[in-house]
Amino acid sequence: MSDTRIPKDVPIRVEIVIGDGVAVLVWAHLTPPGATCPRCGPVSQRVRSTDGRSVQDLPWRSVPVRWQLRCRKFWCDTLSCTQRVLPGTWLRPHQQRTEAVWTTTTQWSWAASAADVARVATQQGLPVSTDTVLRLRAHPTIRLVTRDRDERFARAIAAGTPTAQQVTGRFHLLQNLWPVLERVFARHGVGPVRSAAAPVESASPSSRAPTVAAQRGQDPWTRIQEPVAAGYSLRAIARPLN
């Protein structure tokens, strides 16, 4: 296993490494003498506990790597502070992946979709899901995000990149426009409102789409809706209507 997998500034003691070609498991112990409180600033040396954690790291020659860690945690020495301190930036609190994994997946996500990144990363020995790839925060370079009308997406986008402008995608815009047009047409009596309960007559294979001459005296709504009800494809309807 390469020495570059272990950051030089992290006090870690590797106890055993097991690799069978399918995965590499590393049992190790984080042994720092103290840690800096991220809330108050002073260095704490008062050990609170030693906890176990399973952490995913970057693969080694396309073989998945996972750490089985015993981690020291410290109490902050400031009496008014209740912060529980985990040393170093190699592994942040509550994370199940190293910072190197997050950095790599974030960089890949700028060049490909979440599904492509998840598939390629898994093939290369870094199994991640699409949700993991999409779990990014604080990205000021994102300026525009498209979404539908679901407020849950709005809240998620605002949390992930609050400076980005949210707009409606073209598909959702057209999908929302259709019922509005139906109400407008019905209000002005332009044509019948399409109903899901209305029976659709099956067209015989030998029948043909209405000709342009036959449709000159009809209003636009009827000229489109009659061949639709007869079962013609959109292409067959659009061709004679130009």
Side-chain angles (χ1 to χ4, degrees), residues 187-233:
R187 186 181 303 117
H188 293 280
V190 175
V193 178
R194 185 180 62 177
S195 174
V200 178
E201 298 179 359
S202 59
S204 61
S206 59
S207 59
R208 298 180 179 179
T211 63
V212 176
Q215 298 178 17
R216 286 177 180 173
Q218 298 177 344
D219 60 82
W221 180 271
T222 305
R223 293 171 59 187
I224 296 175
Q225 291 303 310
E226 286 184 352
V228 168
Y232 291 101
S233 66

mmCIF file of all heavy atoms in Angstrom, residues 187-233:
data_model
loop_
_atom_site.group_PDB
_atom_site.id
_atom_site.type_symbol
_atom_site.label_atom_id
_atom_site.label_comp_id
_atom_site.label_asym_id
_atom_site.label_seq_id
_atom_site.Cartn_x
_atom_site.Cartn_y
_atom_site.Cartn_z
ATOM 1 N N ARG A 187 -62.606 29.194 -22.259
ATOM 2 C CA ARG A 187 -63.251 30.445 -21.884
ATOM 3 C C ARG A 187 -63.703 31.228 -23.117
ATOM 4 O O ARG A 187 -64.742 31.871 -23.113
ATOM 5 C CB ARG A 187 -62.301 31.292 -21.044
ATOM 6 C CG ARG A 187 -62.949 32.553 -20.481
ATOM 7 C CD ARG A 187 -61.961 33.382 -19.671
ATOM 8 N NE ARG A 187 -61.379 32.592 -18.592
ATOM 9 C CZ ARG A 187 -60.077 32.317 -18.512
ATOM 10 N NH1 ARG A 187 -59.251 32.763 -19.435
ATOM 11 N NH2 ARG A 187 -59.611 31.610 -17.513
ATOM 12 N N HIS A 188 -62.946 31.155 -24.197
ATOM 13 C CA HIS A 188 -63.270 31.904 -25.410
ATOM 14 C C HIS A 188 -64.025 31.067 -26.444
ATOM 15 O O HIS A 188 -64.342 31.563 -27.525
ATOM 16 C CB HIS A 188 -61.985 32.447 -26.041
ATOM 17 C CG HIS A 188 -61.308 33.490 -25.207
ATOM 18 N ND1 HIS A 188 -61.715 34.807 -25.170
ATOM 19 C CD2 HIS A 188 -60.263 33.393 -24.342
ATOM 20 C CE1 HIS A 188 -60.935 35.492 -24.329
ATOM 21 N NE2 HIS A 188 -60.039 34.655 -23.820
ATOM 22 N N GLY A 189 -64.302 29.805 -26.094
ATOM 23 C CA GLY A 189 -65.067 28.966 -26.997
ATOM 24 C C GLY A 189 -64.364 28.654 -28.302
ATOM 25 O O GLY A 189 -65.012 28.459 -29.339
ATOM 26 N N VAL A 190 -63.053 28.561 -28.273
ATOM 27 C CA VAL A 190 -62.297 28.266 -29.492
ATOM 28 C C VAL A 190 -62.501 26.829 -29.914
ATOM 29 O O VAL A 190 -62.633 26.517 -31.091
ATOM 30 C CB VAL A 190 -60.800 28.569 -29.280
ATOM 31 C CG1 VAL A 190 -59.994 28.152 -30.495
ATOM 32 C CG2 VAL A 190 -60.624 30.052 -28.988
ATOM 33 N N GLY A 191 -62.545 25.909 -28.971
ATOM 34 C CA GLY A 191 -62.692 24.505 -29.303
ATOM 35 C C GLY A 191 -62.976 23.700 -28.064
ATOM 36 O O GLY A 191 -62.949 24.221 -26.944
ATOM 37 N N PRO A 192 -63.267 22.418 -28.211
ATOM 38 C CA PRO A 192 -63.570 21.568 -27.057
ATOM 39 C C PRO A 192 -62.330 21.341 -26.209
ATOM 40 O O PRO A 192 -61.211 21.282 -26.717
ATOM 41 C CB PRO A 192 -64.060 20.263 -27.698
ATOM 42 C CG PRO A 192 -63.403 20.240 -29.035
ATOM 43 C CD PRO A 192 -63.326 21.667 -29.487
ATOM 44 N N VAL A 193 -62.547 21.242 -24.905
ATOM 45 C CA VAL A 193 -61.463 20.949 -23.983
ATOM 46 C C VAL A 193 -61.188 19.460 -24.012
ATOM 47 O O VAL A 193 -62.091 18.634 -23.931
ATOM 48 C CB VAL A 193 -61.827 21.394 -22.543
ATOM 49 C CG1 VAL A 193 -60.708 21.041 -21.582
ATOM 50 C CG2 VAL A 193 -62.107 22.888 -22.526
ATOM 51 N N ARG A 194 -59.907 19.120 -24.133
ATOM 52 C CA ARG A 194 -59.547 17.714 -24.153
ATOM 53 C C ARG A 194 -59.842 17.077 -22.810
ATOM 54 O O ARG A 194 -59.496 17.606 -21.762
ATOM 55 C CB ARG A 194 -58.050 17.563 -24.470
ATOM 56 C CG ARG A 194 -57.619 16.123 -24.639
ATOM 57 C CD ARG A 194 -56.136 16.044 -24.950
ATOM 58 N NE ARG A 194 -55.333 16.590 -23.849
ATOM 59 C CZ ARG A 194 -54.010 16.582 -23.841
ATOM 60 N NH1 ARG A 194 -53.348 16.091 -24.878
ATOM 61 N NH2 ARG A 194 -53.350 17.091 -22.821
ATOM 62 N N SER A 195 -60.500 15.938 -22.823
ATOM 63 C CA SER A 195 -60.863 15.250 -21.593
ATOM 64 C C SER A 195 -60.321 13.838 -21.636
ATOM 65 O O SER A 195 -60.383 13.162 -22.666
ATOM 66 C CB SER A 195 -62.390 15.203 -21.423
ATOM 67 O OG SER A 195 -62.743 14.416 -20.311
ATOM 68 N N ALA A 196 -59.770 13.401 -20.491
ATOM 69 C CA ALA A 196 -59.239 12.043 -20.435
ATOM 70 C C ALA A 196 -60.336 11.008 -20.504
ATOM 71 O O ALA A 196 -60.117 9.858 -20.878
ATOM 72 C CB ALA A 196 -58.430 11.856 -19.137
ATOM 73 N N ALA A 197 -61.582 11.421 -20.131
ATOM 74 C CA ALA A 197 -62.683 10.464 -20.141
ATOM 75 C C ALA A 197 -63.342 10.354 -21.508
ATOM 76 O O ALA A 197 -64.203 9.509 -21.723
ATOM 77 C CB ALA A 197 -63.730 10.869 -19.102
ATOM 78 N N ALA A 198 -62.999 11.237 -22.442
ATOM 79 C CA ALA A 198 -63.635 11.212 -23.751
ATOM 80 C C ALA A 198 -63.204 9.983 -24.520
ATOM 81 O O ALA A 198 -62.018 9.639 -24.541
ATOM 82 C CB ALA A 198 -63.272 12.468 -24.537
ATOM 83 N N PRO A 199 -64.141 9.270 -25.136
ATOM 84 C CA PRO A 199 -63.768 8.072 -25.888
ATOM 85 C C PRO A 199 -62.969 8.429 -27.119
ATOM 86 O O PRO A 199 -63.189 9.455 -27.757
ATOM 87 C CB PRO A 199 -65.127 7.452 -26.256
ATOM 88 C CG PRO A 199 -66.068 8.617 -26.280
ATOM 89 C CD PRO A 199 -65.586 9.549 -25.200
ATOM 90 N N VAL A 200 -62.009 7.588 -27.450
ATOM 91 C CA VAL A 200 -61.163 7.772 -28.618
ATOM 92 C C VAL A 200 -61.521 6.710 -29.637
ATOM 93 O O VAL A 200 -61.462 5.513 -29.350
ATOM 94 C CB VAL A 200 -59.663 7.670 -28.256
ATOM 95 C CG1 VAL A 200 -58.811 7.807 -29.514
ATOM 96 C CG2 VAL A 200 -59.316 8.744 -27.239
ATOM 97 N N GLU A 201 -61.930 7.159 -30.816
ATOM 98 C CA GLU A 201 -62.305 6.229 -31.860
ATOM 99 C C GLU A 201 -61.059 5.686 -32.531
ATOM 100 O O GLU A 201 -60.124 6.421 -32.832
ATOM 101 C CB GLU A 201 -63.188 6.929 -32.899
ATOM 102 C CG GLU A 201 -64.505 7.458 -32.319
ATOM 103 C CD GLU A 201 -65.320 8.168 -33.387
ATOM 104 O OE1 GLU A 201 -64.820 8.246 -34.528
ATOM 105 O OE2 GLU A 201 -66.420 8.635 -33.071
ATOM 106 N N SER A 202 -61.038 4.407 -32.732
ATOM 107 C CA SER A 202 -59.898 3.768 -33.382
ATOM 108 C C SER A 202 -59.982 3.986 -34.883
ATOM 109 O O SER A 202 -61.038 3.901 -35.488
ATOM 110 C CB SER A 202 -59.881 2.265 -33.071
ATOM 111 O OG SER A 202 -61.068 1.669 -33.526
ATOM 112 N N ALA A 203 -58.841 4.308 -35.470
ATOM 113 C CA ALA A 203 -58.791 4.559 -36.906
ATOM 114 C C ALA A 203 -58.411 3.292 -37.637
ATOM 115 O O ALA A 203 -57.565 2.522 -37.187
ATOM 116 C CB ALA A 203 -57.776 5.651 -37.202
ATOM 117 N N SER A 204 -59.045 3.075 -38.758
ATOM 118 C CA SER A 204 -58.727 1.900 -39.571
ATOM 119 C C SER A 204 -57.419 2.132 -40.294
ATOM 120 O O SER A 204 -57.076 3.268 -40.634
ATOM 121 C CB SER A 204 -59.847 1.644 -40.582
ATOM 122 O OG SER A 204 -59.982 2.761 -41.440
ATOM 123 N N PRO A 205 -56.620 1.098 -40.544
ATOM 124 C CA PRO A 205 -55.331 1.274 -41.212
ATOM 125 C C PRO A 205 -55.464 1.892 -42.584
ATOM 126 O O PRO A 205 -54.539 2.538 -43.069
ATOM 127 C CB PRO A 205 -54.783 -0.157 -41.279
ATOM 128 C CG PRO A 205 -55.507 -0.901 -40.210
ATOM 129 C CD PRO A 205 -56.868 -0.285 -40.151
ATOM 130 N N SER A 206 -56.608 1.694 -43.253
ATOM 131 C CA SER A 206 -56.757 2.192 -44.608
ATOM 132 C C SER A 206 -57.147 3.662 -44.674
ATOM 133 O O SER A 206 -57.114 4.270 -45.727
ATOM 134 C CB SER A 206 -57.819 1.364 -45.351
ATOM 135 O OG SER A 206 -59.070 1.444 -44.671
ATOM 136 N N SER A 207 -57.587 4.245 -43.519
ATOM 137 C CA SER A 207 -58.009 5.642 -43.525
ATOM 138 C C SER A 207 -56.807 6.555 -43.638
ATOM 139 O O SER A 207 -55.694 6.200 -43.256
ATOM 140 C CB SER A 207 -58.795 5.956 -42.256
ATOM 141 O OG SER A 207 -57.998 5.708 -41.120
ATOM 142 N N ARG A 208 -57.033 7.771 -44.138
ATOM 143 C CA ARG A 208 -55.960 8.718 -44.352
ATOM 144 C C ARG A 208 -56.204 9.984 -43.545
ATOM 145 O O ARG A 208 -57.321 10.289 -43.169
ATOM 146 C CB ARG A 208 -55.844 9.071 -45.845
ATOM 147 C CG ARG A 208 -55.506 7.873 -46.716
ATOM 148 C CD ARG A 208 -55.408 8.311 -48.175
ATOM 149 N NE ARG A 208 -55.071 7.176 -49.015
ATOM 150 C CZ ARG A 208 -54.941 7.263 -50.343
ATOM 151 N NH1 ARG A 208 -55.152 8.421 -50.956
ATOM 152 N NH2 ARG A 208 -54.625 6.188 -51.048
ATOM 153 N N ALA A 209 -55.139 10.729 -43.319
ATOM 154 C CA ALA A 209 -55.257 11.998 -42.594
ATOM 155 C C ALA A 209 -56.043 12.992 -43.427
ATOM 156 O O ALA A 209 -56.006 12.949 -44.658
ATOM 157 C CB ALA A 209 -53.863 12.546 -42.276
ATOM 158 N N PRO A 210 -56.790 13.902 -42.788
ATOM 159 C CA PRO A 210 -57.564 14.894 -43.536
ATOM 160 C C PRO A 210 -56.667 15.742 -44.429
ATOM 161 O O PRO A 210 -55.546 16.082 -44.064
ATOM 162 C CB PRO A 210 -58.203 15.746 -42.439
ATOM 163 C CG PRO A 210 -58.176 14.881 -41.228
ATOM 164 C CD PRO A 210 -56.965 14.030 -41.348
ATOM 165 N N THR A 211 -57.169 16.077 -45.587
ATOM 166 C CA THR A 211 -56.412 16.911 -46.514
ATOM 167 C C THR A 211 -56.480 18.361 -46.098
ATOM 168 O O THR A 211 -57.323 18.771 -45.294
ATOM 169 C CB THR A 211 -56.968 16.757 -47.939
ATOM 170 O OG1 THR A 211 -58.328 17.233 -47.954
ATOM 171 C CG2 THR A 211 -56.929 15.304 -48.378
ATOM 172 N N VAL A 212 -55.576 19.176 -46.679
ATOM 173 C CA VAL A 212 -55.551 20.599 -46.354
ATOM 174 C C VAL A 212 -56.823 21.293 -46.821
ATOM 175 O O VAL A 212 -57.384 22.145 -46.126
ATOM 176 C CB VAL A 212 -54.309 21.253 -47.000
ATOM 177 C CG1 VAL A 212 -54.302 22.756 -46.753
ATOM 178 C CG2 VAL A 212 -53.039 20.621 -46.464
ATOM 179 N N ALA A 213 -57.319 20.909 -48.014
ATOM 180 C CA ALA A 213 -58.534 21.538 -48.540
ATOM 181 C C ALA A 213 -59.729 21.284 -47.652
ATOM 182 O O ALA A 213 -60.591 22.148 -47.475
ATOM 183 C CB ALA A 213 -58.810 21.008 -49.956
ATOM 184 N N ALA A 214 -59.806 20.082 -47.077
ATOM 185 C CA ALA A 214 -60.939 19.748 -46.227
ATOM 186 C C ALA A 214 -60.892 20.480 -44.896
ATOM 187 O O ALA A 214 -61.896 20.565 -44.197
ATOM 188 C CB ALA A 214 -60.986 18.243 -45.991
ATOM 189 N N GLN A 215 -59.696 20.986 -44.538
ATOM 190 C CA GLN A 215 -59.546 21.602 -43.222
ATOM 191 C C GLN A 215 -59.513 23.125 -43.282
ATOM 192 O O GLN A 215 -59.393 23.781 -42.246
ATOM 193 C CB GLN A 215 -58.237 21.122 -42.582
ATOM 194 C CG GLN A 215 -58.225 19.615 -42.345
ATOM 195 C CD GLN A 215 -56.896 19.176 -41.748
ATOM 196 O OE1 GLN A 215 -56.152 19.994 -41.247
ATOM 197 N NE2 GLN A 215 -56.631 17.900 -41.813
ATOM 198 N N ARG A 216 -59.638 23.727 -44.477
ATOM 199 C CA ARG A 216 -59.534 25.173 -44.586
ATOM 200 C C ARG A 216 -60.659 25.886 -43.848
ATOM 201 O O ARG A 216 -60.475 26.979 -43.317
ATOM 202 C CB ARG A 216 -59.548 25.570 -46.056
ATOM 203 C CG ARG A 216 -58.228 25.249 -46.760
ATOM 204 C CD ARG A 216 -58.296 25.599 -48.235
ATOM 205 N NE ARG A 216 -57.027 25.289 -48.872
ATOM 206 C CZ ARG A 216 -56.837 25.361 -50.194
ATOM 207 N NH1 ARG A 216 -57.844 25.744 -50.986
ATOM 208 N NH2 ARG A 216 -55.670 25.071 -50.703
ATOM 209 N N GLY A 217 -61.852 25.279 -43.804
ATOM 210 C CA GLY A 217 -62.974 25.935 -43.154
ATOM 211 C C GLY A 217 -63.069 25.644 -41.682
ATOM 212 O O GLY A 217 -64.036 26.068 -41.040
ATOM 213 N N GLN A 218 -62.136 24.917 -41.114
ATOM 214 C CA GLN A 218 -62.193 24.553 -39.706
ATOM 215 C C GLN A 218 -61.306 25.480 -38.889
ATOM 216 O O GLN A 218 -60.321 26.031 -39.376
ATOM 217 C CB GLN A 218 -61.741 23.108 -39.513
ATOM 218 C CG GLN A 218 -62.621 22.090 -40.233
ATOM 219 C CD GLN A 218 -62.073 20.686 -40.070
ATOM 220 O OE1 GLN A 218 -60.921 20.516 -39.689
ATOM 221 N NE2 GLN A 218 -62.892 19.693 -40.352
ATOM 222 N N ASP A 219 -61.652 25.631 -37.592
ATOM 223 C CA ASP A 219 -60.804 26.420 -36.718
ATOM 224 C C ASP A 219 -59.573 25.602 -36.335
ATOM 225 O O ASP A 219 -59.564 24.381 -36.446
ATOM 226 C CB ASP A 219 -61.588 26.843 -35.460
ATOM 227 C CG ASP A 219 -62.069 25.646 -34.680
ATOM 228 O OD1 ASP A 219 -61.255 25.095 -33.912
ATOM 229 O OD2 ASP A 219 -63.248 25.254 -34.851
ATOM 230 N N PRO A 220 -58.488 26.257 -35.904
ATOM 231 C CA PRO A 220 -57.232 25.535 -35.620
ATOM 232 C C PRO A 220 -57.389 24.413 -34.604
ATOM 233 O O PRO A 220 -56.764 23.360 -34.737
ATOM 234 C CB PRO A 220 -56.311 26.656 -35.102
ATOM 235 C CG PRO A 220 -56.873 27.907 -35.688
ATOM 236 C CD PRO A 220 -58.356 27.705 -35.748
ATOM 237 N N TRP A 221 -58.202 24.641 -33.578
ATOM 238 C CA TRP A 221 -58.358 23.608 -32.553
ATOM 239 C C TRP A 221 -58.945 22.333 -33.151
ATOM 240 O O TRP A 221 -58.457 21.234 -32.917
ATOM 241 C CB TRP A 221 -59.245 24.127 -31.431
ATOM 242 C CG TRP A 221 -59.456 23.118 -30.325
ATOM 243 C CD1 TRP A 221 -60.433 22.186 -30.241
ATOM 244 C CD2 TRP A 221 -58.640 22.940 -29.169
ATOM 245 N NE1 TRP A 221 -60.301 21.439 -29.114
ATOM 246 C CE2 TRP A 221 -59.193 21.879 -28.421
ATOM 247 C CE3 TRP A 221 -57.498 23.579 -28.684
ATOM 248 C CZ2 TRP A 221 -58.645 21.448 -27.235
ATOM 249 C CZ3 TRP A 221 -56.967 23.145 -27.486
ATOM 250 C CH2 TRP A 221 -57.537 22.099 -26.779
ATOM 251 N N THR A 222 -60.011 22.472 -33.911
ATOM 252 C CA THR A 222 -60.661 21.302 -34.499
ATOM 253 C C THR A 222 -59.755 20.621 -35.505
ATOM 254 O O THR A 222 -59.723 19.382 -35.593
ATOM 255 C CB THR A 222 -61.974 21.726 -35.176
ATOM 256 O OG1 THR A 222 -62.781 22.416 -34.222
ATOM 257 C CG2 THR A 222 -62.734 20.516 -35.702
ATOM 258 N N ARG A 223 -59.019 21.394 -36.288
ATOM 259 C CA ARG A 223 -58.140 20.815 -37.294
ATOM 260 C C ARG A 223 -57.080 19.921 -36.667
ATOM 261 O O ARG A 223 -56.625 18.962 -37.301
ATOM 262 C CB ARG A 223 -57.474 21.939 -38.083
ATOM 263 C CG ARG A 223 -58.439 22.753 -38.937
ATOM 264 C CD ARG A 223 -57.764 23.982 -39.515
ATOM 265 N NE ARG A 223 -56.614 23.621 -40.338
ATOM 266 C CZ ARG A 223 -55.750 24.511 -40.855
ATOM 267 N NH1 ARG A 223 -55.913 25.799 -40.597
ATOM 268 N NH2 ARG A 223 -54.744 24.102 -41.603
ATOM 269 N N ILE A 224 -56.704 20.205 -35.445
ATOM 270 C CA ILE A 224 -55.691 19.381 -34.771
ATOM 271 C C ILE A 224 -56.329 18.260 -33.973
ATOM 272 O O ILE A 224 -55.859 17.111 -33.994
ATOM 273 C CB ILE A 224 -54.824 20.263 -33.846
ATOM 274 C CG1 ILE A 224 -54.045 21.276 -34.671
ATOM 275 C CG2 ILE A 224 -53.862 19.415 -33.016
ATOM 276 C CD1 ILE A 224 -53.251 22.263 -33.837
ATOM 277 N N GLN A 225 -57.426 18.551 -33.268
ATOM 278 C CA GLN A 225 -57.998 17.586 -32.344
ATOM 279 C C GLN A 225 -58.681 16.409 -33.043
ATOM 280 O O GLN A 225 -58.680 15.299 -32.521
ATOM 281 C CB GLN A 225 -58.993 18.284 -31.406
ATOM 282 C CG GLN A 225 -58.334 19.226 -30.412
ATOM 283 C CD GLN A 225 -57.299 18.490 -29.574
ATOM 284 O OE1 GLN A 225 -57.576 17.435 -29.014
ATOM 285 N NE2 GLN A 225 -56.091 19.042 -29.511
ATOM 286 N N GLU A 226 -59.279 16.639 -34.197
ATOM 287 C CA GLU A 226 -59.966 15.537 -34.882
ATOM 288 C C GLU A 226 -59.007 14.426 -35.310
ATOM 289 O O GLU A 226 -59.255 13.257 -35.029
ATOM 290 C CB GLU A 226 -60.750 16.083 -36.070
ATOM 291 C CG GLU A 226 -62.008 16.842 -35.659
ATOM 292 C CD GLU A 226 -62.821 17.283 -36.861
ATOM 293 O OE1 GLU A 226 -62.327 17.121 -38.002
ATOM 294 O OE2 GLU A 226 -63.940 17.783 -36.659
ATOM 295 N N PRO A 227 -57.884 14.721 -35.954
ATOM 296 C CA PRO A 227 -56.951 13.625 -36.265
ATOM 297 C C PRO A 227 -56.301 13.022 -35.022
ATOM 298 O O PRO A 227 -55.944 11.846 -35.014
ATOM 299 C CB PRO A 227 -55.922 14.297 -37.186
ATOM 300 C CG PRO A 227 -56.060 15.755 -36.950
ATOM 301 C CD PRO A 227 -57.482 15.981 -36.591
ATOM 302 N N VAL A 228 -56.160 13.826 -33.964
ATOM 303 C CA VAL A 228 -55.635 13.259 -32.714
ATOM 304 C C VAL A 228 -56.595 12.219 -32.168
ATOM 305 O O VAL A 228 -56.207 11.121 -31.758
ATOM 306 C CB VAL A 228 -55.390 14.380 -31.673
ATOM 307 C CG1 VAL A 228 -55.124 13.777 -30.289
ATOM 308 C CG2 VAL A 228 -54.210 15.238 -32.086
ATOM 309 N N ALA A 229 -57.892 12.556 -32.144
ATOM 310 C CA ALA A 229 -58.895 11.606 -31.664
ATOM 311 C C ALA A 229 -58.987 10.384 -32.564
ATOM 312 O O ALA A 229 -59.344 9.294 -32.107
ATOM 313 C CB ALA A 229 -60.257 12.295 -31.578
ATOM 314 N N ALA A 230 -58.655 10.552 -33.861
ATOM 315 C CA ALA A 230 -58.705 9.424 -34.778
ATOM 316 C C ALA A 230 -57.505 8.505 -34.652
ATOM 317 O O ALA A 230 -57.490 7.423 -35.257
ATOM 318 C CB ALA A 230 -58.813 9.934 -36.230
ATOM 319 N N GLY A 231 -56.497 8.906 -33.890
ATOM 320 C CA GLY A 231 -55.369 8.024 -33.631
ATOM 321 C C GLY A 231 -54.157 8.277 -34.497
ATOM 322 O O GLY A 231 -53.236 7.453 -34.505
ATOM 323 N N TYR A 232 -54.119 9.394 -35.232
ATOM 324 C CA TYR A 232 -52.970 9.681 -36.084
ATOM 325 C C TYR A 232 -51.793 10.152 -35.232
ATOM 326 O O TYR A 232 -51.967 10.752 -34.178
ATOM 327 C CB TYR A 232 -53.315 10.755 -37.119
ATOM 328 C CG TYR A 232 -54.291 10.286 -38.167
ATOM 329 C CD1 TYR A 232 -55.634 10.625 -38.080
ATOM 330 C CD2 TYR A 232 -53.860 9.508 -39.237
ATOM 331 C CE1 TYR A 232 -56.534 10.201 -39.031
ATOM 332 C CE2 TYR A 232 -54.765 9.082 -40.198
ATOM 333 C CZ TYR A 232 -56.112 9.432 -40.098
ATOM 334 O OH TYR A 232 -56.989 9.000 -41.038
ATOM 335 N N SER A 233 -50.589 9.899 -35.723
ATOM 336 C CA SER A 233 -49.391 10.375 -35.047
ATOM 337 C C SER A 233 -49.232 11.871 -35.276
ATOM 338 O O SER A 233 -49.808 12.444 -36.196
ATOM 339 C CB SER A 233 -48.154 9.638 -35.556
ATOM 340 O OG SER A 233 -47.906 9.959 -36.918
#
